[in-house]
Amino acid sequence: PLSQLVEKVSSTNPDQKLFGDDSIVSLLALKADRKIALNFIDANEMRFTSGITNFYLFTDELDKVNVSYIILRENRGMHQIREMRQYVQNRCRLEQEYSDIAEGIFLMYKC
């Protein structure tokens, strides 16, 4: 569903940033000419579960950013972290789900 995701992201304010799963957000940012929140390109769950990045300090900084969408993959990557799911659900609302046979279901949260 790449073209649909790009179309959705491209329709947002160019000053807003993207955040989410490293499997798709970097490509979306390039194709839609959008920036990634906090330049957090390597957004995989191991950054948080290993302790390299403190989840709570990170989300405090992310709260300060004008984010249009947070995009996660259902039951994969950062979506596996309970605190991340709670954070996204509290900050944003699920707007759309896109299914891909190889990559699974992309959850697009509008912030």
Side-chain angles (χ1 to χ4, degrees):
L2 181 60
S3 61
Q4 295 167 305
L5 290 163
V6 170
E7 184 179 326
K8 180 80 73 175
V9 169
S10 296
S11 70
T12 64
N13 181 335
D15 295 329
Q16 292 181 305
K17 296 178 173 51
L18 297 176
F19 178 73
D21 196 273
D22 61 348
S23 69
I24 191 69
V25 168
S26 298
L27 181 58
L28 280 178
L30 285 170
K31 292 188 83 52
D33 194 25
R34 296 296 185 270
K35 293 186 178 182
I36 297 173
L38 304 172
N39 291 320
F40 207 78
I41 296 166
D42 184 20
N44 69 69
E45 74 279 4
M46 292 304 292
R47 298 262 331 235
F48 299 105
T49 58
S50 69
I52 290 174
T53 302
N54 180 291
F55 177 79
Y56 299 103
L57 294 176
F58 174 78
T59 54
D60 284 347
E61 290 301 310
L62 190 57
D63 283 340
K64 299 172 187 172
V65 177
N66 185 8
V67 175
S68 61
Y69 285 102
I70 295 178
I71 303 159
L72 302 175
R73 289 190 309 157
E74 187 173 61
N75 300 320
R76 296 183 185 181
M78 290 187 301
H79 190 261
Q80 297 176 90
I81 302 171
R82 179 178 43 87
E83 293 86 356
M84 179 59 77
R85 290 191 309 269
Q86 290 172 339
Y87 172 80
V88 173
Q89 290 169 358
N90 289 336
R91 178 169 181 187
C92 313
R93 65 175 169 74
L94 181 62
E95 182 177 89
Q96 190 84 34
E97 293 182 18
Y98 296 96
S99 182
D100 180 82
I101 196 161
E103 294 296 326
I105 297 173
F106 292 96
L107 305 171
M108 197 157 192
Y109 292 89
K110 178 74 173 156
C111 302

